[in-house]
Amino acid sequence: MRNEDMLLIPGPTPVVDSIYDALASETRSHTDPRFVEIYKRAIDQTKEMFQTDGEVFVIAGSGTLAMEMALVNTVAAGERILVISHGYFGDRFIKLGEAFGIEVDVLQSEWGERVNVEDVENELSKKNYKAVTITHGDTSTGVVADLDALVPVIKKHGALVILDGVVATAAIEEDMSKCYGHPDYKIDIVLTGSQKAIGVPPGLAVVAFNQSALEIRKQLGRIPAYYTDINNWIPIMNDPSKYFATPPVNLIYAYAEGMRLVLEEGLENRYIRHTAYGKAVRAGLAEFGMTALAEEGVAASTLSCILYPEGIDDAAFRGELAKKGVILAGSLAHLAGKAFRIGHMGNTTEQMLEKAIQLIGQTLNESGHKVNTQKAIERFKEIMYANV
Ligand SMILES: *Cc1c(COP(=O)(O)O)cnc(C)c1O
């Protein structure tokens, strides 16, 4: 890999050479049949990944644009949504809803914990909700949502399930054909960005709508959007030789290669690999007295929010690691300075994660925090290779 740094933040994630090569291919006209064929393939690959019978949208933008696209095409001003929030990115749906005049109710968990399903059920039985948003993995806390518990409850009450998969898609199961306890209980919308568990550089918003969600869009008529109105994109997604707004040609090349790698590895294999990554990284770091904010039962397999032991300066610690080529992220809101976040997803490898644990141990020792690096590495390997 030609990368100098190991980008172990919750996105962007490490980019492999074949994706860089694709990105650096000749920029062609967006109507050139050679590009159109690749765009078409990227759309088909995305449909295959989500197992959807509906439409997918792969357009220029970031994860936040994908969130907006999901919401604005299904919920009108004055209608109500319920936001299930496990942290900072869950809360982003509140702001989005407010921006479009949508009535927003929120169920927020303590950071590091999950919202109770009983509370969701209770809230849904009180009011009429058009949609419920779930953040699959909340990137601020490392908490993963329990879809098996949430989806049936939400669908039973007739609301749309909007799933923010930005830090989960292609690493944690998001199968839109899956029935959650009833033939009609399915995830309606999944949205993501290119730069997290898919492992492509940032710049693409990816959204999938099932038939129910498409039907809701039809019922809405005019919506307060133009670029993100799916009605403007459906013709393009069905025939990418058509024009609505210029697609990011080179990013689409990169994305098609990223998708090829995802499908070649196989989704099941990716779920297993990421599960092992999450457990092994957390077990290794625990040997340094660094514990995850989220307990193992609710922790995401793609990234972890790790609390510092006493006496470690966040900026100095991460600065030292950055000099050694390991890029970690700080924490958000009230956890800033008290925890760091480490991504372990996408095209990250077990070798990179092992190296990161070694360098974290080295950095701790250099700053006078005596830790047993060898033991942490052994623990990492034990879990990593036992779980696969
Ligand atoms: C990163 C992230 C977003 C925002 O994505 P951007 O690409 O930064 O706009 C939204 N939701 C989750 C869960 C994320 O991790």
Side-chain angles (χ1 to χ4, degrees):
M1 221 188 259
R2 66 188 73 143
N3 297 330
E4 289 176 1
D5 289 340
M6 289 196 283
L7 208 48
L8 302 184
I9 58 175
T13 56
V15 175
V16 296
D17 290 355
S18 69
I19 293 179
Y20 283 131
D21 289 341
L23 191 67
S25 307
E26 182 176 346
T27 302
R28 298 193 196 277
S29 158
H30 53 287
T31 58
D32 184 311
R34 289 167 293 184
F35 168 70
V36 170
E37 187 193 317
I38 294 171
Y39 201 179
K40 188 165 182 340
R41 193 190 315 143
I43 292 160
D44 290 343
Q45 289 163 322
T46 308
K47 282 192 171 154
E48 187 180 338
M49 175 175 67
F50 287 126
Q51 291 290 301
T52 180
D53 60 349
E55 299 281 356
V56 300
F57 306 93
V58 180
I59 67 171
S62 79
T64 306
L65 185 101
M67 293 169 78
E68 183 164 323
M69 194 162 182
L71 209 55
V72 80
N73 281 283
T74 51
V75 187
E79 292 183 324
R80 189 173 290 277
I81 61 167
L82 178 62
V83 171
I84 298 174
S85 177
H86 297 135
Y88 180 89
F89 287 98
D91 290 351
R92 182 161 285 193
F93 274 115
I94 305 172
K95 296 264 184 287
L96 263 166
E98 286 168 0
F100 291 100
I102 292 166
E103 302 293 324
V104 182
D105 287 332
V106 194
L107 286 170
Q108 263 153 331
S109 62
E110 289 289 320
W111 276 34
E113 290 170 20
R114 273 180 182 158
V115 168
N116 272 326
V117 180
E118 298 75 48
D119 293 341
V120 176
E121 171 105 66
N122 185 37
E123 201 59 38
L124 287 169
S125 56
K126 281 197 295 207
K127 290 180 205 159
N128 189 17
Y129 289 99
K130 185 78 174 288
V132 178
T133 67
I134 307 173
T135 310
H136 201 174
D138 201 299
T139 319
S140 59
T141 56
V143 170
V144 68
D146 182 358
L147 299 185
D148 289 323
L150 291 171
V151 175
V153 167
I154 298 165
K155 293 314 299 178
K156 194 175 82 189
H157 286 87
L160 275 187
V161 172
I162 298 178
L163 184 65
D164 174 350
V166 179
V167 88
T169 302
I172 309 176
E173 187 187 68
E174 293 175 336
D175 179 350
M176 295 178 78
S177 70
K178 178 173 165 179
C179 302
Y180 286 82
H182 181 284
D184 295 337
Y185 293 180
K186 296 181 185 172
I187 301 164
D188 297 293
I189 297 178
V190 184
L191 63 100
T192 192
S194 50
Q195 79 275 26
K196 297 196 183 180
I198 298 174
V200 169
L204 290 174
V206 178
V207 191
F209 275 55
N210 73 2
Q211 292 297 341
S212 320
L214 291 170
E215 188 50 41
I216 299 262
R217 170 66 195 92
K218 277 196 199 129
Q219 290 164 11
L220 281 185
R222 203 173 70 164
I223 62 166
Y226 180 63
Y227 183 78
T228 52
D229 184 348
I230 59 168
N231 281 351
N232 287 327
W233 287 107
I234 288 173
I236 313 324
M237 295 300 123
N238 290 322
D239 176 4
S241 71
K242 291 193 175 139
Y243 170 76
F244 167 57
T246 309
V249 170
N250 291 62
L251 267 178
I252 303 281
Y253 296 152
Y255 178 79
E257 172 59 11
M259 277 291 117
R260 191 189 67 75
L261 294 173
V262 166
L263 297 173
E264 180 184 75
E265 181 178 359
L267 290 168
E268 286 298 329
N269 290 334
R270 288 176 74 90
Y271 305 155
I272 294 167
R273 175 164 69 86
H274 284 89
T275 300
Y277 279 8
K279 288 184 178 164
V281 166
R282 289 186 289 266
L285 293 176
E287 292 293 328
F288 298 149
M290 296 176 148
T291 51
L293 176 70
E295 279 178 13
E296 215 42 57
V298 302
S301 57
T302 46
L303 92 147
S304 304
C305 179
I306 305 287
L307 299 163
Y308 284 115
E310 268 319 288
I312 296 177
D313 181 83
D314 172 49
F317 170 77
R318 287 188 298 114
E320 220 21 75
L321 276 158
K323 283 188 210 152
K324 297 180 170 79
V326 179
I327 314 297
L328 300 173
S331 275
L332 304 170
H334 64 278
L335 286 179
K338 300 195 181 97
F340 68 91
R341 294 175 305 147
I342 178 167
H344 28 80
M345 66 182 125
N347 293 318
T348 302
T349 62
E350 33 275 47
Q351 289 75 23
M352 285 183 204
L353 297 173
E354 182 183 329
K355 182 87 183 153
I357 288 178
Q358 186 224 316
L359 291 170
I360 289 172
Q362 187 186 325
T363 303
L364 289 170
N365 279 316
E366 283 166 3
S367 66
H369 292 84
K370 291 294 162 228
V371 293
N372 188 338
T373 304
Q374 215 37 54
K375 192 145 175 258
I377 290 177
E378 273 162 31
R379 190 81 186 110
F380 168 83
K381 285 185 168 171
E382 204 177 289
I383 310 256
M384 185 65 233
Y385 301 109
N387 267 286
V388 173

